[in-house]
Amino acid sequence: MRFLIQRVNKAKVEVDGETVGSIGKGFLVLIGISGTDNTAVADKMIKKLTGLRIFEDENGKTNLDLKAVGGQLLLISQFTLYADCRRGNRPSFTDAGAPDKAEQLYHYIIEGCRREIEVVEEGRFGAEMKVSLVNNGPFTVFLDSAEICH
């Protein structure tokens, strides 16, 4: 499982010209799910995500997590985080999870985050989405379950 986390001042996702998710200060998280991921992996990733201290405290140190700043989450499925570009110029996505399993885990992650964070918005799984954001920093972090869970 991979999370690409961007600290934002605001972000939104549109499907067919309609805004389906929108947040203020918080994290825009692109979520990639592999064929070997499961709920145990998701639980560890959710814990790491919601506890990530990348907001500045009164001394300008990145020491505060989402809860401490009243931050929000916008969670977007993104199978392309499992692009394999080692051979040729056309990425392979064979490591990405099968859509039905990935969608179940994506919704599991959303519900897990909602137990921790007050405002959690989401994209639409499998849809063509337009994502816009104002990155704060910019500050971008990549979490990979291969490093977090093992």
Side-chain angles (χ1 to χ4, degrees), residues 23-105:
I23 63 167
K25 181 178 186 176
F27 296 159
L28 166 66
V29 186
L30 304 177
I31 299 171
I33 297 170
S34 78
T36 60
D37 288 328
N38 56 42
T39 57
V41 170
D43 288 339
K44 290 177 183 177
M45 294 292 282
I46 292 165
K47 182 176 180 181
K48 182 63 86 171
L49 169 68
T50 58
L52 201 58
R53 300 184 318 173
I54 62 173
F55 290 99
E56 294 177 355
D57 64 15
E58 65 278 357
N59 298 316
K61 303 279 187 197
T62 51
N63 204 24
L64 301 176
D65 64 15
L66 275 169
K67 286 182 188 177
V69 299
Q72 304 174 346
L73 284 171
L74 176 55
L75 306 175
I76 310 236
S77 63
Q78 178 111 25
F79 77 94
T80 61
L81 289 177
Y82 276 95
D84 181 349
C85 300
R86 290 177 291 183
R87 290 188 219 123
N89 292 321
R90 184 171 183 264
S92 168
F93 299 102
T94 57
D95 290 339
D100 56 339
K101 180 182 172 190
E103 185 172 13
Q104 289 175 355
L105 275 174

